[in-house]
Amino acid sequence: MGSRGNESLREGSSELRDGMRIDWDVPIQMDDGLVLRADVFRPAAEGPHPVILSYGPYAKGLAFQEGYPSAWQRMVAEHPDVAHGSSNLYQSWEVVDPEKWVSEGYACVRVDSRGAGRSPGYIDHFSPRETRDFYECIEWAGVQPWSSGKVGLNGISYYGINQWHVASLRPPHLAALCIWEGAADWYRDMTHHGGILCTFWANWYDMQVKTVQYGVGERGARSRATGELVCGDETLPDRELQKNRCDFGDEILAHPLDDAYHKARSPQWDKIDVPMLSAANWGGQGLHPRGNFEGFLRAASKDKWLEVHGIEHWTHFYTDYGRKLQLKFFDFHLKEKKNGWDKQPRVQLQVRHPGEKFVERHENEWPIARTNWTRFFLNQDFLLSEKSGREGTVSFDAMGDGVTFLSAPFEKETEITGPIAARLNVSSSTEDADLFLVFRVFTPDLREITFMGAIDPHTPIAQGWLRASHRKLDQKLSKPWRPYHAHDEKQPLKKGEIVPLDIELWPTAIVVPAGHRLALTVRGRDYEWQKSTGARLSNFKNELRGCGPFLHDDPRDRPAAVFSGKTTLHFGGGKDSFLLVPVVPPKS
C-alpha cells in the first residue's frame, strides 16, 4: 500500500490491489465527443456486479485526508468505526470508501465531472450539460461487462444534489438513489433563501472547485494511491483556466428571481420515479435539510424513505450507522436481497435532545400525522404566548440584530419535530426589508442551546428567511406548515404599508426539557452565536459564528438605500403575528 511515487499510469490501466480490481482513469465519451475520466473499483472475481456511481467536481484522486484535513481528523477521532476495516488509501471527500463497498460485492465508479480533476472541459455546475454528462455515465456503467446493469447513485451534498437532476431524465439503467444531505431546488434551497442572495456558492467555488480544476496540473496535489497529478497532466496558465469555467457567483447574482436559469438546475419531481433513500441533517440550516424533505414529499417514486440525523454532514455517511443503512437499501434494490428492507418504516428519525443526544424513532409519514400544530403569538412585550395579545408594534434597525420574543418556561418536556412557519405583519420605512428568523431554545438560566450542525459547531434550532418583496405565495404548493413562495416577481413595499409575510422555517427536531423556553428572533442580518468563536474549517473562508458559510452579506444584493431603514412588526387588532410550531405528542 501507499503511494506509487511518480510512476505514471497509462489510460485505463488496471491492477489488483487491496482486494480490488482497480481500473484507473477509464475514458467515458460524452455525446458531444468530450472524454471524461473515471476510476472503477470492483471485486477481483468476475462480474456481473451492481454499480455505485458518483459524478462530481472534487477530484477523484484527492485524498479526503489531504483535501479536507480538519473534517477528516475530527471524524476519525470521534468515530473510529469510520477508519476501521479499511486502509483508507482510497478515501475521497463525500463519496463512498470503495474498500468497504467492493468487499460487499459492488463495483464503485467515481467520475470527475466536466472541467474538474482529470476530466477536461468547461465547468458549469448543475447545468443541463452537466446533468446530461451524468446520464451518459450511468448508461455507460450499465452496459460494462462487469456490470449487472443496475446502477445506484450515492454520495453527500454535491453528489446528492445532482442525483435529483439526473433522475429527472430517467436513465434506463438507474435503479436506486441515496441522496445524503442533497439540496434540490437551486433557488430556494441554495442560491436565494427567501429571495435573499446566499454568498456560499461564490466562496465555495474559489475554495473547493478552482483548486481542483482540470489544468491546475503540477500546481495541484498528487494522488496518494497512484502518484498521478490529481488535476490533469497539463498545467495551464490562469487565463486558460478562467476561460474554462463559468463566472459562478456573478451568474447567480444576475438571476434574482426563480427564472429559467434556476429551473434548469432544479428537479422535475413528477419524473423521479426510482426507489430512493433521502437522508437529511437537522443541523444543516442553509443547505443540507430542505431538499431532502421536499424530495421525500414530492418525488413521484412510490418506494421512498426518509432518514434524518445530526452532527457534521459528512460523518454519518461514513459511520457504521449510515453505511449499513445505505447497504441494506442498495442490497434490496440492486441485488434483490431479501433483507427486510421492504419492512423498513418510511421515516427514520434521530430525534435531538440537548447535549448532542439523539434517540432513534420510526414514523410512517412526514410531517408526523399526530402533530399538534400550536400557535405562539408575538406581542409588544417581547413574549411568545399561546394567546393573542393587545394591539401594538415593535421596530428595529432593518439591517441589525433585531428583536427576540421569549416564551414562558415549559411546564413539562415537549417535543418539537417538523417544519415551522411564521406569519408576521410587517411595515418598512423603505421599499423592501429582509427578515432573518431564528427559532431558539434557552435553558432556565437563559443560555442558548445550539448543536453541532452540518458545518457550524453552534447551529441554532431552525432558521428561515424572506425578502418582503418576495412575499407572493404559490397557492398550489403552500401548506399552513410550509409556505411556498413563487419568487417570480417583486412586489415592493409602500412606506408604512402593513403587509402579511408568511415565512418558511426549515424542518427541525428538539425535545425541550421542562423549565426551558422557546424564542423567536427576528433579525435584519444573519444570526451570530458569538461575534467570534475561533471555529474554522480548512475548506471555508469565514470564521464559523453560527451560520457556517451560508451567509447573506453581498452589498450588491442588499444595498443600504433599500434595506437599511426601520422594520416594524405589528401585533393584535386583526394583525396577529405568530409562529406555527409542530408539537409532537408521544406515540399512544
Side-chain angles (χ1 to χ4, degrees):
M1 292 187 289
S3 172
R4 297 165 56 113
N6 292 327
E7 177 188 347
S8 181
L9 286 171
R10 294 189 307 277
E11 172 187 301
S13 65
S14 183
E15 62 177 333
L16 277 171
R17 191 173 176 187
D18 293 325
M20 300 181 288
R21 166 66 63 185
I22 309 175
D23 305 313
W24 302 106
D25 251 6
V26 178
I28 308 177
Q29 185 168 323
M30 299 296 99
D31 57 352
D32 65 351
L34 187 88
V35 174
L36 303 181
R37 298 291 172 183
D39 293 338
V40 179
F41 305 84
R42 51 194 173 94
E46 290 299 317
H49 309 289
V51 178
I52 300 294
L53 187 143
S54 57
Y55 169 102
Y58 295 141
K60 60 184 173 61
L62 180 63
F64 193 139
Q65 301 92 319
E66 292 182 0
Y68 300 84
S70 51
W72 175 261
Q73 290 158 12
R74 178 184 173 92
M75 179 169 65
V76 297
E78 298 193 7
H79 303 275
D81 53 316
V82 170
H84 181 71
S86 172
S87 73
N88 299 297
L89 183 61
Y90 312 97
Q91 292 274 15
S92 290
W93 179 243
E94 299 191 332
V95 294
V96 301
D97 176 1
E99 285 183 85
K100 292 189 176 182
W101 284 82
V102 169
S103 62
E104 298 285 355
Y106 287 90
C108 297
V109 178
R110 283 182 186 163
V111 186
D112 275 340
S113 59
R114 183 177 293 240
R118 293 184 62 83
S119 292
Y122 183 83
I123 296 177
D124 188 5
H125 296 296
F126 306 119
S127 64
R129 175 65 264 176
E130 208 182 63
T131 302
R132 186 68 201 181
D133 288 347
F134 199 176
Y135 178 105
E136 300 280 343
C137 292
I138 293 166
E139 290 309 290
W140 173 87
V143 298
Q144 296 308 299
W146 40 259
S147 170
S148 71
K150 289 192 173 184
V151 178
L153 306 180
N154 199 8
I156 312 171
S157 194
Y158 198 106
Y159 298 99
I161 294 167
N162 60 11
Q163 291 184 46
W164 300 119
H165 306 160
V166 77
S168 300
L169 299 182
R170 293 177 169 167
H173 289 93
L174 179 58
L177 309 172
C178 177
I179 308 100
W180 203 270
E181 301 188 34
D185 187 309
W186 184 229
Y187 190 92
R188 292 163 186 81
D189 296 357
M190 293 183 263
T191 68
H192 290 78
H193 297 134
I196 309 168
L197 178 72
C198 180
T199 54
F200 166 72
W201 290 101
N203 294 323
W204 165 85
Y205 199 42
D206 289 342
M207 297 293 286
Q208 292 185 234
V209 177
K210 292 179 183 178
T211 53
V212 292
Q213 184 179 354
Y214 176 86
V216 169
E218 292 282 356
R219 292 183 286 175
R222 286 186 178 272
S223 165
R224 283 188 174 191
T226 67
E228 290 294 293
L229 291 166
V230 162
C231 303
D233 296 326
E234 290 185 279
T235 304
L236 300 176
D238 288 342
R239 184 176 297 176
E240 286 297 310
L241 292 173
Q242 187 173 357
K243 282 169 55 178
N244 289 339
R245 62 182 185 242
C246 67
D247 294 322
F248 202 43
D250 285 346
E251 287 187 10
I252 293 168
L253 177 69
H255 295 273
L257 296 174
D258 186 19
D259 58 12
Y261 168 81
H262 289 280
K263 288 181 167 57
R265 290 159 174 78
S266 296
Q268 294 176 267
W269 296 117
D270 61 332
K271 294 185 177 178
I272 299 175
D273 55 9
V274 295
M276 52 176 265
L277 171 60
S278 179
N281 188 315
W282 301 120
Q285 302 292 316
L287 183 63
H288 293 102
R290 184 182 186 276
N292 288 101
F293 289 103
E294 287 289 305
F296 175 71
L297 286 171
R298 297 178 62 192
S301 307
K302 63 179 177 62
D303 297 319
K304 53 186 178 180
W305 290 264
L306 175 69
E307 186 276 344
V308 198
H309 53 270
I311 65 176
E312 311 94 343
H313 85 101
W314 52 85
T315 300
H316 270 317
F317 182 78
Y318 294 99
T319 62
D320 286 348
Y321 164 77
R323 182 176 55 83
K324 288 178 179 179
L325 188 72
Q326 298 159 36
L327 185 64
K328 188 175 181 181
F329 168 75
F330 281 121
D331 278 352
F332 183 82
H333 291 289
L334 301 187
K335 292 183 176 180
E336 300 179 6
K337 192 173 181 179
K338 291 183 170 63
N339 59 7
W341 182 266
D342 53 328
K343 297 181 177 62
Q344 171 78 11
R346 293 293 170 158
V347 177
Q348 178 167 308
L349 306 177
Q350 299 295 334
V351 179
R352 291 194 299 190
H353 295 245
E356 300 289 342
K357 177 186 174 185
F358 296 86
V359 177
E360 185 171 309
R361 191 176 73 230
H362 295 104
E363 301 287 350
N364 296 316
E365 70 288 310
W366 184 266
I368 298 167
R370 66 183 181 282
T371 298
N372 176 16
W373 297 100
T374 305
R375 288 186 178 187
F376 285 85
F377 293 90
L378 288 63
N379 67 50
Q380 65 179 13
D381 299 317
F382 302 101
L383 298 177
L384 278 180
S385 171
E386 291 189 52
K387 293 183 179 180
S388 177
R390 66 187 188 279
E391 190 170 355
T393 63
V394 169
S395 297
F396 61 92
D397 178 350
M399 296 185 80
D401 291 335
V403 290
T404 296
F405 300 85
L406 196 64
S407 78
F410 276 31
E411 294 181 1
K412 61 181 181 180
E413 181 180 90
T414 303
E415 179 183 334
I416 295 169
T417 297
I420 300 172
R423 160 68 65 87
L424 301 182
N425 284 282
V426 174
S427 62
S428 172
S429 63
T430 68
E431 67 184 45
D432 215 338
D434 286 344
L435 285 299
F436 295 74
L437 272 57
V438 190
F439 182 68
R440 308 163 78 182
V441 172
F442 287 89
T443 63
D445 58 354
L446 296 183
R447 288 177 293 114
E448 183 177 7
I449 291 177
T450 60
F451 284 89
M452 177 66 236
I455 291 173
D456 199 292
H458 298 102
T459 301
I461 307 304
Q463 294 184 75
W465 307 261
L466 186 64
R467 177 160 288 173
S469 61
H470 285 241
R471 63 189 178 276
K472 177 183 173 184
L473 292 172
D474 182 321
Q475 297 296 343
K476 288 185 179 179
L477 292 174
S478 285
K479 306 285 186 184
W481 42 264
R482 198 269 278 115
Y484 195 97
H485 296 90
H487 297 298
D488 59 0
E489 64 171 322
K490 292 183 180 179
Q491 297 178 335
L493 301 175
K494 296 173 185 174
K495 186 174 180 179
E497 175 191 16
I498 303 171
V499 296
L501 305 181
D502 292 291
I503 304 174
E504 172 189 9
L505 285 80
W506 288 9
T508 192
I510 176 69
V511 176
V512 182
H516 286 50
R517 302 170 188 253
L518 297 185
L520 178 71
T521 299
V522 183
R523 296 170 59 87
R525 62 185 178 194
D526 288 307
Y527 165 87
E528 287 181 347
W529 181 70
Q530 287 183 177
K531 291 292 181 185
S532 181
T533 64
R536 290 186 176 274
L537 284 173
S538 56
N539 51 311
F540 299 119
K541 292 180 181 180
N542 63 293
E543 183 180 13
L544 305 178
R545 297 188 294 182
C547 290
F550 308 112
L551 302 176
H552 307 81
D553 54 3
D554 190 327
R556 297 173 296 176
D557 181 63
R558 305 187 71 210
V562 177
F563 292 98
S564 66
K566 286 285 182 184
T567 300
T568 300
L569 305 178
H570 298 259
F571 320 109
K575 295 182 175 60
D576 287 332
S577 292
F578 61 85
L579 194 63
L580 186 66
V581 176
V583 176
V584 178
K587 285 187 175 181
S588 55

